[in-house]
Amino acid sequence: MGSIKSLKCRECGREYEPQFRYVCEECFGPLDVTYSELSVNRHTFESREKTYWRYFELLPIKDKSNIVSLNAGLTPLQYADKLGERLGLKNLFVKNDSVNPTFSFKDRPAGVAVSRAKETKLKAVGCASTGNLASATAAHAAKAGLPCYIFAPSDIEHVKIAQALSYGAEFVAVEGTYDDANRIASIIGDSKGYGIVNINMRPYYVEGSKTLAYEVAEQLDWQVPDRLIIPVGSGAMLNAICKGFEELHALGLVDSVKHLKVVAAQPHGCAPIVDAFKRNSDEVIPVERPETIAKSLAIGDPGDGLYVLKRLKQYGGIAEEVSDGEIADSIMMLAQTEGIFTEPAGGVSVGVLKKLVEEGKIDKDEKVVCYVTGNGLKATEAIVGLLPKLTAVKPDAAAIEATIR
């Protein structure tokens, strides 16, 4: 049996039974899952399944029979020596979540939330999405045998729509921004009692993303990195990763996390958290019309924006942005040095890393983990302009050989 204890308000600390709720009745603050005291050690997880469910005791499911698994997680932590050499870093690692079953990190939170929906016998699930979460939720819903409703901006990448629809989800293409889709999903989820994974199931959903901390720690032989580069949309993943490292420390699985530094990476055109950080303000001013090739990060009103700013203060962090051109260049650089093809969100984290190294804000000896969260095949249009033009040649080996250097 799992060890979920309560839902605790992040603001006022009030605790609730772990039921179908997501905001505090007292102060309307967000709720986080808390767990009963655990007895685990570094060897607990060694011989378990190679998915993020290896950390079952630290996830909000009571009974293993309710797990809906597509075998996501335990993705490669690649020692990026070639990219590190290019950037001037000696200890760079890329956490490559582009190889998950639906090709993004969203398989983690979606899998946990759909499992929780199954456990609490909800009749349907859904999500508001910029694309990746749509596919992850729809795939897990298909595995669980639950109806699935996707609410997304009508201008998201077509390949992401096709992927989500292939799993049998019903797609509601909203004319407007992600925030418009989010508002509609919230209203419909509450009125029909559906589990909208990133809204009314958010306390459980965000727990999936903290496994990105657990895996990195385990893959580094239970060492805490010096710095994390994390792409930020809503901010939920960054906050969850910090929570994950803190939980590992509380359990005695890793040493102090006090030296850990966290970088929030956003695309220019939708960087409200970066703007607030650079103004030294606690107010995150929403971006009404996001304009960026990094559509998976185009969340103008980030739900966890204030908590990202708190984490940056807590961990001596930095928030930085990169342009569309820098994102595209970084996608190509990562592919051509490490053989990892990422969508623009990964280009954002690599681009911000490059920028901070050039500005002398990251030391060459730091152990850096750069998170790559989605697969480049989902957004090939982002780099089309940088690719060589193809010209057909006649099937004459001698003529072709003469043109090859």
Side-chain angles (χ1 to χ4, degrees), residues 125-188:
V125 294
C127 67
S129 177
T130 52
N132 286 331
L133 181 57
S135 298
T137 304
H140 284 86
K143 178 76 170 172
L146 288 170
C148 181
Y149 299 88
I150 305 297
F151 301 85
S154 55
D155 67 345
I156 67 168
E157 295 97 335
H158 286 285
V159 65
K160 291 180 178 176
I161 297 173
Q163 187 184 3
L165 290 174
S166 75
Y167 302 120
E170 190 162 321
F171 206 99
V172 182
V174 178
E175 288 186 9
T177 64
Y178 167 80
D179 297 300
D180 294 321
N182 195 69
R183 179 174 49 82
I184 299 296
S186 179
I187 294 167
I188 291 174

Side-chain angles (χ1 to χ4, degrees), residues 25 44 48 99 126 141 149 154 164 176 179 185 194 213 235 247 252 339 375 388-389:
E25 290 176 0
T44 301
R48 291 191 175 175
V99 296
Y149 299 88
S154 55
D179 297 300
Y194 293 168
E247 287 175 346
N375 197 295
K389 299 290 182 284

Side-chain angles (χ1 to χ4, degrees), residues 37-91:
E37 281 192 32
L38 289 172
S39 176
V40 295
N41 59 49
R42 294 177 179 181
H43 302 296
T44 301
F45 313 109
E46 281 178 353
S47 59
R48 291 191 175 175
E49 61 183 297
K50 301 201 180 309
T51 79
Y52 65 79
W53 288 108
R54 67 200 279 112
Y55 310 110
F56 171 71
E57 293 89 344
L58 306 172
L59 292 170
I61 304 299
K62 291 183 177 178
D63 190 326
K64 283 186 175 178
S65 67
N66 292 311
I67 289 175
V68 180
S69 177
L70 298 179
N71 297 307
L74 213 62
T75 54
L77 182 68
Q78 184 162 321
Y79 175 52
D81 55 334
K82 294 285 189 293
L83 179 60
E85 195 178 313
R86 178 82 65 92
L87 298 179
L89 294 170
K90 293 180 180 177
N91 293 297

